[in-house]
Amino acid sequence: MTTPTIVVIEDEKQTRHFLRLSLEAESYHVFDADSGNAGLKAAATRKPDIVILDLGLPDMDGVDAVKQLREWSNVPVIILSARSGETEKIAALDAGADDYLTKPFGAGELLARIRVALRRTISSEQTESGIVSVADLAIDLVHRKITVAGEEVHLTPIEYRLLSVLAKYTGKVLTHRFLLKEVWGPNQVDNAHYLRIYMSQLRHKLEKEPIRPRYILTEAGVGYRLAVE
Amino acid sequence: MTDTRPDPDLLLEMVQREQEKALRGKLKIFFGASAGVGKTYAMLSAAHQLRARGLDVVVGIAETHGRAETVALMDGLEVLPRKEVEYRGKRIAEFDLEGALKRHPPLILIDELAHSNVPGSRHPKRWQDVDELLAAGIDVYTTINVQHLETLNDIVGGITGIRVKETVPDKVFDQADEVTLVDLTPDELLLRLKEGKIYLPQQAEGAIGNFFRKGNLIALRELALRRTADRVDDQMRIYRQERSIGTVWRTQDSILVCVGPKPGAEKIIRSASRIASQFGVEWHAVYVETPQLQYQPNSVRERILKSLEFAQELGARTAALAGQQTERVLIDYARSHNLSKIIVGRDQHRSWHFWKRSFADRLGRLSADMDIIQIANIHPGTGIKTESPTQFENAPRSYWKSYLWTATECATVTGIATLLLPYFDLANIVMLFLLAVVFAAVKHGRRAAILAAFLNVILFDFFFVPPRFSFAVSDVQYLLTFAVMLIVALIIGQMTANLTYQVRVANQRETRLRALYEMARDLSSVLLPQQIVDISHRYIETTFKVKVAILLPDTHDTLQPTEAAAGVVPAIDPGIAQWSFDRAEPAGFSTDTLSASSILYLPLRAPMRTRGVLAIEPLHSGWLLIPEQRRQLDGFVALIATTLERVHYIDVAQEALVRIESERLRNSVLSALSHDLRTPLTNLAGLSESLAHSRPELPPLQYELAIAIRDQTFRMSSLVNNLLDMARLQSGNVKLNLQWESLEEVIGSALASCEQQLKNYRVDVRLPDEFPLLQFDTMLIRSVLINLLENAVKYTPPHSHIIIEAHLESNLARISVTDNGPGIAHGSEESIFEKFTRGVRESATPGVGLGLTICRAIADAHKGRIWAENIASGGARFVFTLPLGIPPTLDTEEKE
């Protein structure tokens, strides 16, 4: 695999600066843009492997930028948000973003997210083979067989559907709303308690320590994701 | 009636009645034919039974009259102390209403319902005290004799020859929840009397001895039995009505009773009330104010109004009507109110007016479709001991004055006519005399017109008809002239007088309406309560010539006199005003409550609630007895009340607007602040980290410094977050994002977030299996847990043991974070939750101490609690609670 290319869309000069430093230190190709329009153009021309997008852009709403990008590209998008409220992040994730970081964040954290996103592009090819594995957990989507450390685990149909949706989007942050829609259908998106109950059941069946989950991670106030390991 | 479905209005009324009844206390009456049948004894026995069953019974007042059996029964019952009231130098022990309300037992015994309280008590009658007790939700047992029932009072008087003044309205008896007849045969009663077991008041021994004759006792017993039977009958009817068996309450057969100026109206009213209750229909009592009545002395008018009031007390709807012809007005009223039976008194004194039809006949001719019921009108006072009826006052002097004036005018006309006689025909001279009659009618009214008519015919005959200066008439033709002249004069006089009267009535009505209209117009534009007070003062004072004050409540519903109020009406009693406000009932002058007061307190009742009290000091006692005036005052009061309410809601709307606006502003400031502070912090953290990892590699010291800058930046960031969260929570109305959440998940999320700090600590989570979902804002509760965990890390040495536990209690979940560190300084368990307080003062341990304050604000917002405690084995425990709700159920069924 060649050196991955990253487009950074961020209006703050200093932020752009240290992002470039940190990313280049890991030998990524970095192209940056200081506005939404310029960023979208760069994303179109540079064919990046990842787009890092700040939600507080001067010329357009970050959520709109994600929507526009998603019209023609499946490139993983990591959003940066300076607001503590969850609503904006959820909106961006629902619009198609893959992951998010709340400012301020450490470079280590960012690089970890980038690695997850890159791996996700690879694992989506892996999904074709029908098997998703995270450490000891193996999800065979073809045979509908779940094993933890080689031992088969029996899931109810809904538990299985929930896990399969998570597996389909391994590494991506899936919002509560998205999961409810995928598993229970568009009429049940307000019944968040379904998700809480089944998620708890699922963790108790899969995780050794449900309070410290390794496979299905909680994104507080936003949703869940299946870990990539 | 063909329609057997229940009337919807009646059903609604029934539902409302049920609701009211459910809140009110229950009234049980022990009913007897006469004194000595053992009512008090029966009541006390019943109380003992209830007490034995564990009910908290209190004797409010019980007259034992020294009877041994009864006294014995008082043993073991709690007796409420009586209140001593000073009256005319004597101290009288009365029932203590306030004490009873304060004691608030579930059941209270009140003997002798008909008792009249000492003047100056809150209510003039004991039954009104009982009413207030019932309204407060206290059950009451009471006693009453048949002769004390208002409608039976005069019948009993007729039988026994003794009338009691202490009466109780029948509605109290009829609305009682239970009536128990305490019955004793006359023979037994007489035996008890002979044995001295019955108490007789000293002063009236003779009369009462007369009372206890066997014949009387039989009659009284029959009355009591029959009244009880009527009640049972009513209950049966109500039962049928509630289950819609047979016919429902008839609204169209209602009764109209006409109150006239003659004495004895009360008897007619009592009869009407009885008939109405037997038929189970509503009834109206009206009086018609005709021109003739205008000339009645004041005492007569007052008596009529008293009669109307009496009718109202007995449950009638009353009205005062004005018109020319009593019959017509009555029939019109009856038709417009769907009343098909008219009750009138039978005139006895008109028998010599053989040419004149009786009033009932005249009514009957006008309304062939209505039933006219005549009631024999025996004057009270014949054969019955009673107060003598109010004497007619002599006709006022002003009549004599107007007669004198009329006579003078007639004389003047005669003089002028004498001067004109040489030039004019006699036929024209007659016209002058007719003119004089018209003049007298306009100026002095109907009686003067009659006088003028006769006087003028006489004068004309004497002075002008030949032979002049004699009453002899030479030409018979003049007899016709006299006759026609007299008739024309009388008719013109009557018509003119009536016209003048009607103009006056119309004028009065117009003045009243105009005042109402103008006040409504003025009030429609006001924006401040003070303006309302000023306008109301102006209109009420000029319209009624009385002193008024408006009292408005403060935020605690306590009435505050407006500035001017005390100056205008100095005698305002804040207690009565407050009572009226709280109960939304009129009090004071001319009402049932504290009527000894010289001031009338009217609650300003608006659609949503009572808005204040209007205090009025009337000029004389007769004021407000006139229904028209009362109605106008009610109109004013309603206007003031609705205006006060309107102004109140303007305030509410404005406040809400300001609140929304300031909320919006605060949110935008906070969010801008959050963005502006985070951006430089992000850069600082990112740049220092880039510096640390820059190439070529930094020497170790420089590397450490760069990492330290990054760490301090993150600390700074969490501080900023705390400050912003605090600002948001302190603003009061935080919108919680309440969802049904899993506690396990939020604890897991908090642990993950503190992973770095907790590296060197042992953390145990003890959660019961199957912990229910709780409703909370997950980000806020996560923040509480993070704060508590960070706190534990801050104040305990590395490798300490931290335990997170959760328990279910009856209606809440209890979550605790416990450490085995040094614990909290004794006495500061509470103060650490205050802003900027830390466990150890001036220590080097980082943190502004805002963390716990935020935890408390979050717990409060969730209607939970948070507190800290030291545990016996050493260490601190922070506990917070969340209310347990009923989590929604899963609609999707699933089997393994």
Side-chain angles (χ1 to χ4, degrees):
Chain A
M1 193 178 168
T2 49
T3 322
T5 308
I6 299 175
V7 166
V8 174
I9 310 173
E10 163 67 69
D11 63 313
E12 249 287 315
K13 197 174 154 226
Q14 293 301 336
T15 314
R16 229 163 40 228
H17 183 57
F18 92 75
L19 284 175
R20 176 178 278 276
L21 282 176
S22 314
L23 294 173
E24 280 177 352
E26 296 293 311
S27 54
Y28 291 116
H29 268 302
V30 180
F31 295 99
D32 52 25
D34 60 359
S35 71
N37 283 316
L40 286 176
K41 236 172 258 165
T45 52
R46 307 293 175 180
K47 302 275 175 226
D49 296 291
I50 285 189
V51 172
I52 296 174
L53 171 72
D54 182 32
L55 281 182
L57 290 172
D59 60 335
M60 70 164 73
D61 183 47
V63 178
D64 282 343
V66 176
K67 275 185 193 155
Q68 286 189 28
L69 188 65
R70 276 285 169 263
E71 281 171 15
W72 44 267
S73 172
N74 275 324
V75 61
V77 175
I78 297 172
I79 52 173
L80 307 177
S81 164
R83 304 254 154 79
S84 56
E86 268 59 47
T87 352
E88 206 183 13
K89 289 170 211 159
I90 292 171
L93 290 167
D94 277 336
D98 294 72
D99 207 341
Y100 71 95
L101 276 171
T102 305
K103 290 179 180 179
F105 50 85
E109 182 79 34
L110 173 69
L111 294 172
R113 300 295 171 101
I114 288 174
R115 279 195 294 277
V116 167
L118 286 174
R119 208 167 300 163
R120 179 171 132 57
T121 329
I122 301 159
S123 67
S124 65
E125 286 147 26
Q126 180 193 1
T127 316
E128 312 272 295
S129 73
I131 296 175
V132 177
S133 58
V134 183
D136 289 343
L137 170 69
I139 306 158
D140 184 341
L141 292 169
V142 177
H143 302 99
R144 297 182 158 237
K145 204 172 121 185
I146 315 296
T147 53
V148 175
E151 261 183 61
E152 193 173 344
V153 179
H154 291 282
L155 298 184
T156 68
I158 288 181
E159 286 164 5
Y160 176 76
R161 222 182 309 158
L162 184 57
L163 186 61
S164 67
V165 173
L166 287 161
K168 208 167 131 196
Y169 298 96
T170 311
K172 188 175 172 358
V173 178
L174 304 178
T175 64
H176 297 138
R177 207 179 164 77
F178 178 83
L179 284 168
L180 282 161
K181 198 172 86 190
E182 291 289 307
V183 178
W184 282 275
N187 295 332
Q188 308 291 333
V189 288
D190 293 321
N191 287 327
H193 60 282
Y194 288 3
L195 189 54
R196 305 287 189 287
I197 292 169
Y198 280 98
M199 189 55 77
S200 168
Q201 290 178 7
L202 195 54
R203 277 176 172 160
H204 279 264
K205 286 185 182 178
L206 302 179
E207 306 275 3
K208 207 156 72 186
E209 263 190 292
I211 197 93
R212 294 184 180 85
R214 285 176 59 206
Y215 308 126
I216 305 171
L217 309 178
T218 304
E219 296 293 334
V222 175
Y224 303 94
R225 78 159 102 207
L226 192 67
V228 178
E229 210 65 49
Chain B
M1 204 173 287
T2 49
D3 190 359
T4 51
R5 281 175 309 160
D7 182 330
D9 285 343
L10 279 173
L11 279 180
L12 185 68
E13 194 187 308
M14 220 158 76
V15 170
Q16 281 170 349
R17 205 166 50 211
E18 289 298 321
Q19 281 173 347
E20 274 168 33
K21 261 197 171 171
L23 292 175
R24 269 176 79 87
K26 305 263 174 289
L27 177 65
K28 180 169 181 166
I29 293 177
F30 292 85
F31 185 49
S34 81
V37 294
K39 297 177 300 296
T40 308
Y41 185 88
M43 179 171 80
L44 290 169
S45 310
H48 271 287
Q49 277 176 16
L50 288 172
R51 220 185 94 82
R53 270 188 253 153
L55 193 79
D56 178 21
V57 186
V58 168
V59 179
I61 196 155
E63 303 292 353
T64 56
H65 302 303
R67 271 173 241 154
E69 298 162 5
T70 319
V71 172
L73 266 179
M74 297 278 281
D75 259 7
L77 287 174
E78 180 187 336
V79 182
L80 198 77
R82 296 191 188 191
K83 189 174 68 174
E84 297 253 314
V85 183
E86 180 121 7
Y87 181 63
R88 290 192 183 155
K90 272 195 274 181
R91 298 194 67 79
I92 297 166
E94 275 283 8
F95 167 59
D96 183 7
L97 176 59
E98 261 150 60
L101 286 170
K102 202 184 273 176
R103 169 70 174 79
H104 211 284
L107 173 66
I108 192 164
L109 311 187
I110 311 279
D111 210 358
E112 292 184 6
L113 187 62
H115 175 79
S116 292
N117 290 331
V118 175
S121 306
R122 182 182 297 183
H123 301 291
K125 300 282 188 180
R126 182 171 288 167
W127 63 264
Q128 291 164 330
D129 291 348
V130 166
D131 196 47
E132 191 159 346
L133 288 169
L134 292 171
I138 301 172
D139 292 351
V140 179
Y141 278 14
T142 188
T143 64
I144 189 172
N145 284 333
V146 68
Q147 80 235 41
H148 293 295
L149 280 182
E150 199 134 68
T151 56
L152 296 176
N153 184 346
D154 57 350
I155 295 181
V156 176
I159 295 167
T160 60
I162 297 166
R163 281 189 85 174
V164 286
K165 282 186 201 150
E166 300 187 321
T167 59
V168 173
D170 286 48
K171 66 174 181 201
V172 177
F173 183 80
D174 290 333
Q175 285 166 8
D177 298 273
E178 236 180 288
V179 171
T180 300
L181 180 72
V182 182
D183 192 30
L184 198 67
T185 59
D187 288 330
E188 264 179 274
L189 186 62
L190 287 171
L191 190 69
R192 279 171 60 109
L193 184 71
K194 218 177 275 171
E195 289 167 357
K197 280 182 179 170
I198 294 172
Y199 162 80
L200 300 178
Q202 305 297 312
Q203 63 268 32
E205 221 164 285
I208 289 192
N210 218 19
F211 183 92
F212 282 98
R213 277 183 315 199
K214 192 169 177 182
N216 283 351
L217 292 179
I218 292 171
L220 285 173
R221 187 171 177 225
E222 189 196 337
L223 264 180
L225 286 168
R226 208 191 275 168
R227 192 67 181 80
T228 315
D230 280 353
R231 226 190 91 89
V232 173
D233 200 40
D234 278 354
Q235 282 170 336
M236 188 61 206
R237 194 169 36 87
I238 288 167
Y239 175 85
R240 288 168 67 100
Q241 186 185 324
E242 279 170 0
R243 279 151 193 78
S244 206
I245 304 166
T247 57
V248 289
W249 194 282
R250 286 163 295 163
T251 45
Q252 69 268 61
D253 273 354
S254 308
I255 291 170
L256 175 67
V257 60
C258 179
V259 179
K262 278 181 274 310
E266 284 192 10
K267 182 171 184 294
I268 299 171
I269 288 167
R270 281 206 184 92
S271 309
S273 157
R274 257 200 312 273
I275 292 170
S277 74
Q278 274 163 12
F279 284 135
V281 294
E282 74 174 45
W283 60 294
H284 296 233
V286 299
Y287 106 90
V288 183
E289 187 156 297
T290 55
Q292 285 93 326
L293 271 176
Q294 288 270 307
Y295 300 106
Q296 296 283 355
N298 262 341
S299 61
V300 175
R301 283 171 63 90
E302 240 167 63
R303 191 175 51 218
I304 293 169
L305 296 168
K306 275 254 148 68
S307 305
L308 271 191
E309 237 174 58
F310 177 62
Q312 201 160 17
E313 243 169 57
L314 291 184
R317 285 174 57 179
T318 57
L321 313 166
Q324 277 298 310
Q325 224 186 333
T326 316
E327 304 88 81
R328 280 234 170 272
V329 175
L330 266 185
I331 299 289
D332 286 348
Y333 182 88
R335 286 202 203 288
S336 66
H337 288 81
N338 228 354
L339 312 169
S340 61
K341 291 183 171 59
I342 302 178
I343 297 182
V344 294
R346 186 161 60 227
D347 313 324
Q348 293 191 322
H349 307 280
R350 285 285 169 96
S351 48
W352 49 275
H353 279 165
F354 54 86
W355 67 87
K356 207 168 173 179
R357 288 175 207 283
S358 75
F359 181 62
D361 280 348
R362 279 178 282 151
L363 263 182
R365 283 174 66 86
L366 278 169
S367 55
D369 56 333
M370 291 189 190
D371 301 340
I372 312 290
I373 302 168
Q374 297 192 44
I375 305 285
N377 191 1
I378 316 156
H379 266 260
T382 49
I384 299 172
K385 279 188 226 158
T386 178
E387 297 170 63
S388 61
T390 348
Q391 289 296 315
F392 276 93
E393 286 168 20
N394 290 330
R397 242 163 233 293
S398 59
Y399 281 132
W400 292 113
K401 222 171 173 181
S402 69
Y403 295 156
L404 212 65
W405 271 110
T406 309
T408 321
E409 278 156 24
C410 292
T412 317
V413 169
T414 312
I416 296 167
T418 315
L419 295 175
L420 297 177
L421 188 61
Y423 315 103
F424 291 95
D425 247 6
L426 266 188
N428 290 328
I429 299 291
V430 170
M431 295 299 165
L432 280 181
F433 282 101
L434 288 181
L435 191 67
V437 175
V438 172
F439 192 72
V442 171
K443 202 92 177 100
H444 307 294
R446 154 195 308 262
R447 286 170 185 233
I450 297 169
L451 176 72
F454 282 101
L455 212 58
N456 281 349
V457 171
I458 293 163
L459 289 170
F460 180 64
D461 176 19
F462 190 77
F463 288 106
F464 301 99
V465 176
R468 292 181 69 189
F469 306 109
S470 106
F471 288 112
V473 178
S474 57
D475 195 337
V476 188
Q477 275 191 46
Y478 283 109
L479 289 181
L480 184 66
T481 311
F482 294 153
V484 172
M485 187 180 164
L486 185 65
I487 290 165
V488 170
L490 283 175
I491 291 172
I492 291 176
Q494 293 306 299
M495 285 172 74
T496 315
N498 285 347
L499 213 60
T500 322
Y501 164 71
Q502 276 184 334
V503 167
R504 215 173 64 215
V505 169
N507 274 343
Q508 275 174 4
R509 199 167 294 160
E510 209 223 313
T511 318
R512 284 186 201 129
L513 285 178
R514 200 183 322 118
L516 259 181
Y517 161 74
E518 282 175 2
M519 180 158 149
R521 191 196 53 201
D522 285 3
L523 284 178
S524 67
S525 60
V526 302
L527 293 170
L528 296 172
Q530 188 54 45
Q531 288 173 301
I532 302 173
V533 171
D534 293 342
I535 291 174
S536 316
H537 275 204
R538 195 166 73 233
Y539 278 100
I540 297 177
E541 278 168 14
T542 50
T543 310
F544 299 110
K545 309 271 183 290
V546 291
K547 290 179 186 165
V548 293
I550 290 178
L551 300 147
L552 301 176
D554 60 10
T555 44
H556 307 292
D557 275 354
T558 311
L559 286 182
Q560 299 293 325
T562 46
E563 284 164 47
V568 181
V569 188
I572 285 181
D573 180 333
I576 308 179
Q578 190 66 43
W579 188 91
S580 164
F581 178 76
D582 293 344
R583 301 275 307 255
E585 273 174 36
F589 175 77
S590 82
T591 65
D592 288 343
T593 309
L594 294 159
S595 52
S597 165
S598 64
I599 296 173
L600 171 64
Y601 300 86
L602 290 175
L604 299 167
R605 264 179 300 205
M608 299 305 292
R609 48 163 305 172
T610 310
R611 296 278 162 201
V613 167
L614 181 75
I616 304 171
E617 188 169 22
L619 291 180
H620 55 86
S621 61
W623 190 72
L624 278 189
L625 284 176
I626 301 161
E628 282 273 331
Q629 265 182 353
R630 185 58 202 250
R631 227 170 289 154
Q632 188 181 13
L633 185 65
D634 287 345
F636 278 149
V637 165
L639 261 178
I640 298 168
T642 45
T643 312
L644 281 170
E645 186 151 289
R646 179 176 62 79
V647 169
H648 169 77
Y649 279 115
I650 291 175
D651 281 356
V652 169
Q654 264 171 352
E655 256 170 49
L657 207 65
V658 169
R659 213 168 37 233
I660 289 165
E661 198 52 37
S662 62
E663 174 85 352
R664 210 178 54 79
L665 189 69
R666 189 168 41 233
N667 283 341
S668 58
V669 166
L670 281 176
S671 109
L673 207 63
S674 135
H675 181 267
D676 291 355
L677 285 170
R678 269 168 218 255
T679 307
L681 286 171
T682 313
N683 296 341
L684 209 55
L687 290 169
S688 56
E689 210 169 4
S690 299
L691 179 66
H693 297 110
S694 59
R695 318 241 163 207
E697 235 170 76
L698 290 182
L701 178 68
Q702 277 76 353
Y703 175 82
E704 256 171 51
L705 287 177
I707 292 298
I709 295 177
R710 186 200 64 181
D711 291 350
Q712 288 302 316
T713 310
F714 282 117
R715 193 158 290 155
M716 176 79 166
S717 162
S718 87
L719 206 64
V720 166
N721 281 345
N722 267 354
L723 275 169
L724 291 174
D725 279 352
M726 196 65 229
R728 216 168 262 133
L729 289 164
Q730 288 268 300
S731 75
N733 31 33
V734 214
K735 273 226 180 78
L736 296 183
N737 175 27
L738 289 182
Q739 302 260 1
W740 290 100
E741 304 279 0
S742 140
L743 192 63
E744 183 181 71
E745 197 175 297
V746 75
I747 293 173
S749 164
L751 285 174
S753 144
C754 300
E755 208 181 344
Q756 277 299 313
Q757 291 130 293
L758 291 171
K759 237 178 0 220
N760 295 323
Y761 290 82
R762 192 153 71 90
V763 182
D764 278 343
V765 180
R766 293 171 191 169
L767 263 180
D769 290 338
E770 304 285 312
F771 204 81
L773 294 186
L774 297 173
Q775 207 176 24
F776 56 79
D777 185 320
T778 187
M779 292 312 280
L780 292 177
I781 294 301
R782 180 172 173 261
S783 162
V784 170
L785 287 163
I786 290 175
N787 269 309
L788 294 181
L789 287 170
E790 281 179 349
N791 240 33
V793 170
K794 256 185 241 169
Y795 293 101
T796 56
H799 309 292
S800 298
H801 189 191
I802 300 171
I803 303 166
I804 304 175
E805 273 175 303
H807 298 287
L808 284 182
E809 278 171 22
S810 62
N811 56 351
L812 46 84
R814 191 185 146 108
I815 303 121
S816 62
V817 176
T818 313
D819 63 48
N820 60 350
I824 306 150
H826 189 69
S828 63
E829 287 92 339
E830 195 47 31
S831 63
I832 50 170
F833 286 97
E834 285 161 20
K835 246 180 263 181
F836 305 112
T837 310
R838 287 190 309 184
V840 185
R841 268 165 219 280
E842 307 296 325
S843 82
T845 321
V848 209
L850 211 52
L852 286 177
T853 316
I854 289 173
C855 292
R856 170 151 290 178
I858 292 170
D860 286 350
H862 281 85
K863 298 189 167 48
R865 285 178 58 225
I866 185 163
W867 69 93
E869 57 199 24
N870 282 317
I871 50 172
S873 55
R877 173 181 289 153
F878 288 85
V879 190
F880 70 96
T881 62
L882 287 172
L884 272 187
I886 300 157
T889 49
L890 286 173
D891 290 344
T892 49
E893 73 306 318
E894 211 188 22
K895 295 278 165 310
E896 293 266 342

